[in-house]
Structure formats: structure tokens, C-alpha cells
Amino acid sequence: MDASTVQMFLRKSKYKHPSTIWFVCLSLLLSLQSNPTRTHCRATKSDYKATEAPHCRELRNGYSDTPPKMTSTQIDHIVLLVSTPFFENPPAWLTTNFTITPGGCHNGQASRNKLIIFTYGTYLELFNWYDKPPPLNDENLPMRFWGPKQEGLIDFALTSTTVPAEECIETVNKRLTQGPEKDGDLGVKYQEPIAGSRKRADGMEVKWKVTRPVFHDGEKTPSHDLFLGGRLDAPFFCHDVTQRTFRVASDDMAKITHPCGATGIASCEIFVPQDRLAKYVTLYSKILGSKPEVTSDEADGRSFSLDVDVPQGAGSSKVVVREARNEKELKRMQERGIGVSDLVLATNGQVADEKCSFGPQGIESTIWLGNLAPSTL
């Protein structure tokens, strides 16, 4: 029973005795007590996204004077391209720190994956070509762009669990054409969603829609020398068609519990050229629908962070756009191209020096465990 039901009852009822009114009000009180999600922050995910009250947003952001975020997308997953030996026999630094969940084989191409799933529905994808990648001109296979790339962190995906893929992409493309800044003059827009799927080990077919950026040379597009193996300097989108937990088993405690204590994606870091930092901050702000904040303005490099929601729960993550300044960073950007450089994972525990990598070199040196936890931790 809710307030509107009570009002209708009192209007239509021929019983106006005070005891009757008292009974109805008591029923309303008991109804509200038995269903607290109608008046408190602990609503269901869909209710939370659609009807979140301002004070709840303030609590979620962690500061009572923080204005509501303008983000309209969620971070979905990070892509880690690995070799066949790595995929079939993951190294100790991975197996001793994480719970690895079998994924499956993608339909239409020679690729497969495994997942490291986190609490808030995000995950790290171990992606492997077990045979020759598809040709770059096959427009029905959006993962083809990963074929020429080197092993390591190569890409990341966004999603929107509250609106269909087509509506989400229409909104993003509209933002990319608005204002004098548009897409930062970097030449980015998004194509129509394309159907994708894979078959799990248990035989279930998981379906989604992938939307990749379409690139052209804009006025401020960096030199092609900085897109080694192809241009991947903007994220793609992945929207579920089948139930999300079929693809990302974030409802299984055994699969989201990791020996290292990782609970989610704290931040995904992007290396960009120093003279294009402002342009890329504009681009990512438009794609994410999020306002940038200065996080570093030091001699060794400037960076901006942008809030982005997560697929489930009330946590949040960040995309950090950083200028490559020192010799090591410039070398990495030249060797791997503009795009994802590092992944910082949140943890409930304490980490020395705020964050530490899983190794001194190689892939493990680009994945960190940090104290940069989502806002609800």
C-alpha cells in the first residue's frame, strides 16, 4: 500500500470514522517499513539509477557538497591481449593473485577469452587469438582491430545498463558534435551497434552488441606514428542482449573473490601526447558524459580524471588521461600507441605507497593494486 492508494481509499470510502482512518494510516506505515527501498538509498539497481535522490547521490559520492556526476555510462571491462602459452598456462603472478573464470570461444573468429570478474560487475578480459585474426576489412567482426596489436593492455569497453545500445550511442555521438570543442578535433564518432556472441564451456550462447569508434583524420589527430598496429585511442561499447550475468558472473561470490583482495577497477589510465592532452580530455569527457578534474599538475606530467559508473551497485571508477612526459612513458607510447597504459585495481586492504604493480616488467608492471578504491569502499 502506498500514499496514492490511501488517498483513493479515503476519497471513495463511505467510512469516515476516525478509527477507520487510523487503521489505514497504520497499514501504510507497516507497508513502508516492510519495503524500505522506497524511501532509502538501498534501492534496486534499476530504481537507483532511475530515481536516485540528490542526498543519496551525495552520500554515494562521499562528500555532501559534491554536485551530482553527469556521467551516463559505466565502465564494462578492460582488454588484455595475451599469447596462446599465456592463455593456456597463465603465469604465477596471475594465478596466485586472481580467480580466473573460463569464458568461451567467440563466434565467427578464432578468438577466446577468460575473465577476472570483480564485485561491481566489471572485469579484466584475457583475450587470445588461437589462430589467424580476421582481415581488417571484415566489418562484421569488430574485434578484428586487435589482430595487429602487441600483447598487453590494448583497449577497454564502456556500457550502459539503463538504455539500449542504439539510444546510448545516439547520445554519445550527439555529444561529440556539440559545442565548438566537439570531439576535440580528433576525428572520432561511433558506428551502429554490431551483434556479437560467444559460446560458454557449458554450451550457453552469450549475446551482446559491440559499438566501435570510427576514426578519421581530424584537425588535431596525432601523427599516425603514434598509432602502432592501428588506432585504438577511444574506447568501444559493449551492451548485453542476453542477461548480463550470463556474460559476467558477478553474482557468484567464488568468482569475484581474489587472493590479492582486488574488488574492482579503480582507474583505467590513458597515455596521450603532451600537446594533445586538452584535446583528449575533451574527447573522453564527451564519450563518458563526465566532467574532468585535475589530478596532477606536476613537473613529471599532468593528468585529469573522469568519473564513470559501474554496471551494478553504487560504486564508481575513473578514467585517467595522462600526458606522456618522461622517457619511459614516451617510449611506451611510441612502442604501443596512444591508448590504455595502466590498470589500477581497487582493494579493501592497504597497499604500501598507495599502489604497487604485480611485477617490475612486462604485462604485470602495467597492472596495479591500489588504495584508489571505488567511492563506496
Side-chain angles (χ1 to χ4, degrees):
M1 182 181 294
D2 57 20
S4 61
T5 305
V6 174
Q7 291 170 354
M8 183 178 296
F9 178 88
L10 293 176
R11 283 199 308 268
K12 293 185 177 183
S13 176
K14 63 181 180 180
Y15 302 105
K16 304 295 185 179
H17 194 277
S19 63
T20 303
I21 298 175
W22 176 88
F23 173 78
V24 172
C25 292
L26 178 61
S27 299
L28 173 60
L29 176 62
L30 293 174
S31 174
L32 290 174
Q33 287 179 336
S34 65
N35 188 11
T37 60
R38 292 189 179 274
T39 56
H40 294 81
C41 293
R42 295 180 181 234
T44 62
K45 176 181 161 188
S46 58
D47 287 342
Y48 192 97
K49 296 291 184 182
T51 63
E52 184 183 19
H55 73 280
C56 294
R57 275 197 296 268
E58 291 167 359
L59 290 172
R60 179 163 64 93
N61 288 341
Y63 301 93
S64 60
D65 59 350
T66 301
K69 293 183 295 183
M70 61 176 280
T71 181
S72 61
T73 57
Q74 297 109 39
I75 194 162
D76 190 86
H77 69 277
I78 313 294
V79 181
L80 177 64
L81 180 64
V82 301
S83 66
T84 296
F86 186 113
F87 185 87
E88 295 179 349
N89 295 286
W93 71 266
L94 204 66
T95 56
T96 58
N97 285 296
F98 298 100
T99 300
I100 302 176
T101 298
C105 293
H106 298 102
N107 294 327
Q109 62 186 35
S111 65
R112 54 189 174 176
N113 70 0
K114 294 178 181 178
L115 284 64
I116 297 175
I117 306 171
F118 303 113
T119 303
Y120 294 102
T122 57
Y123 65 96
L124 174 63
E125 177 182 21
L126 309 183
F127 182 93
N128 168 248
W129 298 108
Y130 60 82
D131 205 342
K132 186 178 180 180
L136 292 176
N137 61 359
D138 191 336
E139 296 184 357
N140 293 318
L141 298 175
M143 299 176 193
R144 67 191 184 277
F145 295 107
W146 301 339
K149 285 294 184 178
Q150 302 176 39
E151 296 169 24
L153 298 170
I154 57 169
D155 211 344
F156 75 103
L158 303 171
T159 192
S160 177
T161 56
T162 58
V163 297
E166 291 77 9
E167 183 180 338
C168 172
I169 299 307
E170 181 181 359
T171 300
V172 173
N173 277 333
K174 184 177 180 180
R175 286 200 295 258
L176 290 171
T177 61
Q178 289 176 335
E181 70 280 2
K182 297 183 180 179
D183 63 352
D185 294 322
L186 292 170
V188 179
K189 69 175 183 178
Y190 283 85
Q191 63 179 185
E192 292 296 315
I194 298 174
S197 62
R198 65 172 164 85
K199 186 166 287 190
R200 298 192 327 193
D202 61 5
M204 176 178 288
E205 187 172 25
V206 183
K207 298 181 179 180
W208 58 78
K209 291 182 180 180
V210 167
T211 310
R212 292 216 62 90
V214 178
F215 300 110
H216 64 274
D217 287 338
E219 184 180 339
K220 298 297 182 179
T221 300
S223 166
H224 288 198
D225 295 341
L226 294 178
F227 298 125
L228 192 65
R231 187 175 176 183
L232 292 177
D233 56 331
F236 66 103
F237 284 79
C238 185
H239 287 85
D240 290 288
V241 174
T242 50
Q243 184 176 312
R244 182 173 178 82
T245 52
F246 293 171
R247 177 169 67 97
V248 191
S250 54
D251 56 345
D252 187 332
M253 283 300 297
K255 294 178 179 178
I256 63 174
T257 303
H258 305 285
C260 68
T263 58
I265 296 172
S267 66
C268 173
E269 300 189 358
I270 316 295
F271 270 157
V272 302
Q274 181 180 351
D275 63 347
R276 295 291 189 273
L277 176 62
K279 299 299 181 182
Y280 274 100
V281 171
T282 294
L283 174 66
Y284 273 87
S285 179
K286 293 293 191 77
I287 293 172
L288 298 174
S290 182
K291 296 179 180 179
E293 295 182 359
V294 177
T295 52
S296 175
D297 194 14
E298 302 172 356
D300 60 347
R302 295 171 297 163
S303 64
F304 290 79
S305 69
L306 302 101
D307 283 337
V308 58
D309 286 338
V310 290
Q312 66 187 50
S316 65
S317 184
K318 293 182 183 297
V319 172
V320 178
V321 182
R322 299 175 50 198
E323 62 177 1
R325 177 75 69 87
N326 61 46
E327 184 178 349
K328 181 181 178 181
E329 294 171 346
L330 289 168
K331 185 173 184 291
R332 275 181 64 185
M333 186 175 64
Q334 291 166 354
E335 291 177 347
R336 300 189 57 81
I338 299 170
V340 180
S341 63
D342 294 85
L343 169 64
V344 181
L345 300 176
T347 175
N348 278 321
Q350 290 296 311
V351 177
D353 300 324
E354 293 194 349
K355 71 174 185 177
C356 63
S357 66
F358 286 93
Q361 58 187 4
I363 291 174
E364 58 266 44
S365 69
T366 65
I367 301 177
W368 305 72
L369 194 63
N371 296 327
L372 306 173
S375 60
T376 56
L377 293 183

